[in-house]
Amino acid sequence: MKTLDEIMEFFDQKKYELAPEKVCKQNFEILKQYAFDDDAVALFYMYSLYNEGSYVEKNADLADKWIDKIINLLNRNDIHTSSKSIFEGDYWEDLCEMLGKKFSNKKDFLKVSLYFMIATAKFDNEDYKTANKYFKKLLEYNVPVAFAFLGMNYYYGYGFKENEDTALKYFEKYFYLVKDKKDPDMYAEATYIVGEIYNNKDNTEKALEFYIKGADLGDSQSQFRAGLILGDNGDYQKAKKYLMKSVENENINALTYAGEFYAYGIRGFDKNTDKAIKYLEKAISLGTNNAKPYVAFCIIYIDKKDYRKAIKYGEYAINKCDFYDEDDINVYISLAISYVELGDYDTALAYASKAKEYNLEDADKYYNDIIKMKRSDKIFGFIDKIFNNPIVDVIPGVNFVAKSYRVGSKIGEAIAKKDSESFAGGVSEFKSLINDDEK
């Protein structure tokens, strides 16, 4: 019978993709036989094949059954394997690097590897209680990655009640153990979470220290957070540097804020509507549920005097999105302004009333102004009906007022449209009207 190492090489190097089906089946049956004989490494390979869908069809339930067999093996303290390659060369080095620790004792190395495999397998299956049990077993061997996972699980509440202080203790131990021997991805994730913990404690100085560590390792969320804090501190040059790094990594939050900053021309960003639209559209295409990009679009289209589009984006924000930034609630005032420009004072008042409920700045002023405009509109509408009725042209004394009103309306419309030719024509017509009246 082939050795386990030969079988491992066959599946590791995916020789089954070119080998005859008969050979593949034979090798798979040999692997199963080693696994049924409780060979720890063979059990691990059976789990891996079903978990990853290599050679066999991916099957999470079957993968979990092989994990349970490994757990039974560990409970019996009957750990053995016929594999020799697992303790030498790339296998040994790769596993030690993953664990973040070197081992000299083969039995300890095998046991720790199995603990870690069970913990991560159960973690992936969201069986956090079992995962944490095996991560804790790894603490006896000072395996750094176990401290990182437990810190993360306490922070997010995976299998534990959320506890930032306990999470922080595990992360501190992780940082102490890894020192300069760090797995960049795990280290970046850990520094980001610790940054969040300090940020939640309002210790932004300490938070920034950890965000920058994660940012320099390429973590996009750390880059985003560092950019915001640096911006709050007034260091716009560094803030923009980190924020745009996060944008390059297509971080949805960074895209949203960069779009907003370009739209408003704030925090060291020159106002640039084209760039704003580019980043905001990208954030939306990535599926953000944040109201911010839609609110920014609402403002952009108000500036462009395209009030219907402004309303489209503003109302989408209100009806479909979550508001993570209190400042974005000002969209109610933006919608009130847009509806006023379209002459729909009732809807404008409804949004202004909502703005008052949120105690937005100047909400009362906008509300009262809209009421006045609504009343004025009714008065001018009544006057307009009278003075645009041809019958007034034959009423002595009234016809001049009516004609003046009509010419004045033309001049006002020309001013609104910035139509200099129509404006000049209106002024000329008004002068003629005055000359005729004097005669």
Side-chain angles (χ1 to χ4, degrees), residues 313-423:
Y313 281 102
E315 290 186 338
Y316 189 93
I318 287 169
N319 297 321
K320 302 285 186 179
C321 298
D322 295 321
F323 284 80
Y324 300 110
D325 186 340
E326 289 183 2
D327 289 343
D328 291 333
I329 299 294
N330 282 298
V331 71
Y332 284 102
I333 288 177
S334 299
L335 284 167
I337 291 169
S338 298
Y339 274 107
V340 163
E341 293 295 339
L342 294 178
D344 185 347
Y345 296 108
D346 290 332
T347 307
L349 276 172
Y351 281 119
S353 177
K354 197 72 178 174
K356 285 177 65 177
E357 289 178 26
Y358 284 108
N359 295 316
L360 298 181
E361 188 177 352
D362 294 331
D364 286 330
K365 180 180 180 302
Y366 278 108
Y367 185 83
N368 293 329
D369 285 349
I370 294 167
I371 289 176
K372 290 175 185 176
M373 282 187 274
K374 184 179 178 182
R375 288 173 182 161
S376 299
D377 192 59
K378 284 184 178 179
I379 294 167
F380 282 114
F382 177 70
I383 294 171
D384 194 60
K385 283 181 181 178
I386 294 174
F387 286 162
N388 279 300
N389 191 326
I391 195 168
V392 300
D393 289 344
V394 298
I395 302 175
V398 178
N399 62 343
F400 173 73
V401 177
K403 288 176 182 178
S404 299
Y405 173 81
R406 291 172 201 163
V407 175
S409 296
K410 287 180 185 178
I411 293 172
E413 190 175 339
I415 292 171
K417 292 181 178 179
K418 297 181 180 178
D419 184 345
S420 57
E421 189 177 335
S422 297
F423 175 76

Side-chain angles (χ1 to χ4, degrees), residues 29 36 47 73 118 131 136 151 183 190 213 216 273 279 283 317 322 326 331 367 394 428 432:
E29 289 302 317
F36 285 133
Y47 157 75
L73 193 70
I118 293 167
K136 284 193 171 183
D183 166 8
K213 286 180 181 179
D216 290 342
T273 302
Y279 293 130
D322 295 321
E326 289 183 2
V331 71
Y367 185 83
V394 298
S428 177
S432 299

